[in-house]
Amino acid sequence: METSKTLQKWNHVAEIQLIYKTKVKASERPYIKSSKTVYQLALQCWNPDTIEFFEEFKILLLNQSNRVLGMYEVSSGGIAGTSVDLRMIFAAALKANAVSIIMIHNHPSGQVKPSEADMQITRKVREAGKIMDITLMDHLIITQETYYSFVDEGAL
């Protein structure tokens, strides 16, 4: 026989605790001042053995001072593309307490010209970010040798 205490558990909302722990001092975090800085950081976080093999999509998470909170791999896929879920991007941004993000993905083909899908995800993330006050600062398409910045090219 169930007690009245057991029967009442259904009406309690699961507790959520927010705890922010960091092991890196703010002064030690990379500062983003240009797309070139982003590209250099991205190359440090990309496996040089796979950058020309399959596509990966990552986001750089930034604080109010444009210092890097971290990089999160949203997805990895095939030779010609990878699936990007807006919910995964913003879940990571919210968990990191980021105020802005920079999207980065590679093109295994070596071409940095954005596809229609690249432009579409950029628009979607920018619009969704506006609702949550999370700014899309840039979107870089990278290769081992060069990069394309949506901001530098006036596409964002």
Side-chain angles (χ1 to χ4, degrees):
M1 186 171 156
E2 295 185 73
T3 66
S4 63
K5 196 173 193 178
T6 305
L7 293 174
Q8 292 300 317
K9 287 184 181 182
W10 67 266
N11 66 355
H12 292 281
V13 176
E15 182 178 344
I16 297 173
Q17 269 189 327
L18 293 177
I19 300 171
Y20 188 78
K21 293 181 183 181
T22 181
K23 296 179 180 168
V24 181
K25 294 177 187 172
S27 61
E28 295 173 352
R29 296 180 179 283
Y31 174 71
I32 300 302
K33 54 187 170 226
S34 68
S35 60
K36 185 176 181 182
T37 305
V38 175
Y39 176 63
Q40 291 167 340
L41 288 173
L43 286 180
Q44 291 176 30
C45 297
W46 237 269
N47 182 342
D49 296 331
T50 61
I51 196 167
E52 295 177 344
F53 185 54
F54 60 88
E55 194 167 308
E56 292 177 277
F57 192 100
K58 301 180 185 189
I59 55 172
L60 202 59
L61 303 154
L62 305 173
N63 69 11
Q64 188 70 35
S65 302
N66 283 351
R67 294 213 176 254
V68 177
L69 297 169
M71 186 173 287
Y72 175 70
E73 183 177 310
V74 176
S75 66
S76 63
I79 295 167
T82 187
S83 178
V84 179
D85 189 328
L86 282 174
R87 294 166 293 195
M88 297 300 293
I89 290 172
F90 288 104
L94 290 168
K95 286 178 185 177
N97 204 30
V99 298
S100 57
I101 60 173
I102 297 174
M103 301 189 309
I104 309 163
H105 77 280
N106 65 309
H107 276 180
S109 67
Q111 300 295 317
V112 292
K113 183 180 180 204
S115 67
E116 182 54 41
D118 295 335
M119 292 184 286
Q120 188 176 47
I121 193 65
T122 303
R123 285 190 297 269
K124 285 174 73 175
V125 170
R126 182 182 62 208
E127 292 305 311
K130 284 179 184 178
I131 294 167
M132 292 186 276
D133 288 330
I134 298 174
T135 304
L136 175 60
M137 298 288 289
D138 203 348
H139 181 177
L140 266 65
I141 300 170
I142 68 168
T143 68
Q144 190 72 42
E145 298 174 2
T146 190
Y147 68 96
Y148 175 96
S149 161
F150 277 68
V151 167
D152 293 353
E153 299 299 325
L156 181 64

